[in-house]
Amino acid sequence: MDFRHRLFHLLGLLAWTLLTTVPAQASQIQLEAEGSAAITHSRQQARQDAVEDAQRNAVAEALGVLLTSETVVENFVLLQDKILTRVEGYVRDYQILNESFTSNACTVRIRATVEEMALADDVAALARILPRLNYPTVAISLQEQSLSATANPMPLNLLAARQTIEADLRGKGFDLVNPTGPSTTQAQLLIRGQAYVQDNGANPYNERFHAYAATIVADICETTTGKVLASASSDAIVPHHSFAIGSQNALQKAALQLAGRLSDQIAASWLEACYNEHQIRLIVAGCSFADLPSIEREISRIPGVIRAQQKQFSAQGGEFIVGWQSCNTLRLAEQINHLTIGGKKLTITSAGTYALQARLGGS
């Protein structure tokens, strides 16, 4: 089972765990949590930072309540990180129970109402979209620089190190292309690395053996823009009596470590895409031109909405572009479905991946 299938399997397991452990009627849970923050600018800012820290802790506790498998949690550090960076979408409201200040810090304790089903919905939505996402095509380019105790240049064979990285990434589901072949233009990402080998000198107890240290540093770049998305490095030391064998073994060991870190970096960027801004097209029928500012204002207040912008108005109604910080469009639809504009209820009539339709009318 390759990396993509394992990740999808784990996401599906996590989604199932969440959805089967949350009763339908218990969509909210009240938790007490504590947060703290250093006083760097003002007591007021420290208090706000401490409240946000407490909210993150409340959401983390709610997520822990929902999960029944520690193994699943350990495999979803990236997903947890994404959830805990946007707690405003999960905390319905909170009450400060007590607060205290020292000379350099503020501590608060809150009682927060956390949306359990919102957590479950986000994980389920992520599990649904992952099978449709593909890893980018990758090319690897390594250059050499060798160093020794005597500063004499030493030629390195980087082919085996590159093949080690390629084999590891390919085994995890990545598509690799030859960086020097005609298919280079097909690569979406270029792993651009520099390899160093250092002869650290002889073993004081056995001068025949030298300690050979290898270091590989690499950037992950977009081939179209040259933008560096992430960086990784690894190093290894291997004792041997032969430079050729010792340096090669050290490079192989460092290359294998680097491959794991590179795949983690790419996977992190891959999951990050789910929590970037998604532009959702919203068409509201039954509204007047005068209703547009109120609709825009109320939608902008929804937690998780980055922006709401009027696009146009016609006989069919008003059209808006909504910047939504989630891969779960249905949850945005649920939030919009609760809005009242000028005494009239806004009702969702159709919901798709990147488009919503609603009607304004009734009370």
Side-chain angles (χ1 to χ4, degrees), residues 39 143 188 228 267 316 322 345:
I39 301 175
Q143 296 180 345
Q188 296 166 285
V228 176
Q316 284 71 41
V322 181
K345 183 175 175 57

Side-chain angles (χ1 to χ4, degrees), residues 7 78-79 82 126 130 266-275:
L7 185 55
L78 288 174
L79 181 57
K82 295 295 170 282
L126 187 59
L130 285 180
I266 297 175
S269 301
W270 185 52
L271 288 176
E272 181 72 30
C274 181
Y275 286 91

Side-chain angles (χ1 to χ4, degrees), residues 18-301:
L18 289 172
L19 293 173
T20 56
T21 55
V22 182
Q25 67 273 20
S27 61
Q28 298 178 352
I29 182 173
Q30 283 199 335
L31 296 167
E32 292 188 11
E34 192 172 279
S36 60
I39 301 175
T40 55
H41 299 292
S42 66
R43 288 165 63 96
Q44 182 179 1
Q45 182 61 52
R47 181 178 184 271
Q48 181 59 38
D49 292 343
V51 168
E52 292 176 0
D53 185 49
Q55 289 179 324
R56 278 191 296 273
N57 292 335
V59 172
E61 185 175 346
L63 191 59
V65 169
L66 296 176
L67 297 174
T68 59
S69 169
E70 292 184 4
T71 302
V72 173
V73 176
E74 290 170 1
N75 284 282
F76 279 89
V77 174
L78 288 174
L79 181 57
Q80 280 188 302
D81 287 346
K82 295 295 170 282
I83 287 176
L84 296 182
T85 58
R86 48 189 306 276
V87 296
E88 72 280 354
Y90 307 113
V91 177
R92 169 69 67 177
D93 54 53
Y94 67 91
Q95 174 188 2
I96 297 179
L97 301 178
N98 56 64
E99 59 184 273
S100 61
F101 287 88
T102 64
S103 60
N104 57 7
C106 173
T107 300
V108 301
R109 187 167 188 82
I110 67 170
R111 179 181 293 115
T113 302
V114 179
E115 297 279 2
E116 280 189 309
M117 288 306 297
L119 290 173
D121 286 347
D122 269 8
V123 174
L126 187 59
R128 286 194 299 271
I129 69 166
L130 285 180
R132 300 197 297 270
L133 295 177
N134 293 314
Y135 276 134
T137 305
V138 178
I140 300 173
S141 174
L142 290 181
Q143 296 180 345
E144 68 177 77
Q145 180 172 341
S146 58
L147 304 171
S148 72
T150 59
N152 292 325
M154 300 179 180
L156 300 178
N157 179 9
L158 296 180
L159 177 60
R162 180 165 66 84
Q163 289 175 339
T164 296
I165 298 173
E166 288 178 348
D168 188 81
L169 293 179
R170 190 175 286 112
K172 293 175 179 176
F174 291 90
D175 294 323
L176 278 295
V177 297
N178 189 337
T180 59
S183 59
T184 306
T185 55
Q186 298 174 4
Q188 296 166 285
L189 295 182
L190 173 64
I191 296 175
R192 186 177 56 205
Q194 188 87 27
Y196 305 84
V197 169
Q198 172 75 48
D199 179 356
N200 288 340
N203 186 315
Y205 302 103
N206 187 342
E207 294 186 356
R208 291 183 62 249
F209 280 82
H210 284 226
Y212 296 104
T215 299
I216 306 177
V217 295
D219 293 330
I220 304 171
C221 309
E222 289 183 341
T223 55
T224 54
T225 65
K227 179 182 178 182
V228 176
L229 301 180
S231 299
S233 65
S234 63
D235 53 72
I237 297 178
V238 172
H240 208 276
H241 60 80
S242 164
F243 167 78
I245 299 176
S247 62
Q248 197 63 42
N249 290 347
L251 279 172
Q252 292 285 88
K253 189 175 180 180
L256 191 58
Q257 292 176 2
L258 182 69
R261 292 168 187 171
L262 289 172
S263 63
D264 288 344
Q265 294 272 19
I266 297 175
S269 301
W270 185 52
L271 288 176
E272 181 72 30
C274 181
Y275 286 91
N276 288 338
E277 178 182 344
H278 295 257
Q279 290 193 0
I280 310 299
R281 182 170 176 256
L282 170 65
I283 297 178
V284 180
C287 66
S288 67
F289 183 78
D291 291 323
L292 298 185
S294 297
I295 296 173
E296 180 180 281
R297 182 175 60 253
E298 292 302 316
I299 292 176
S300 297
R301 292 174 176 172

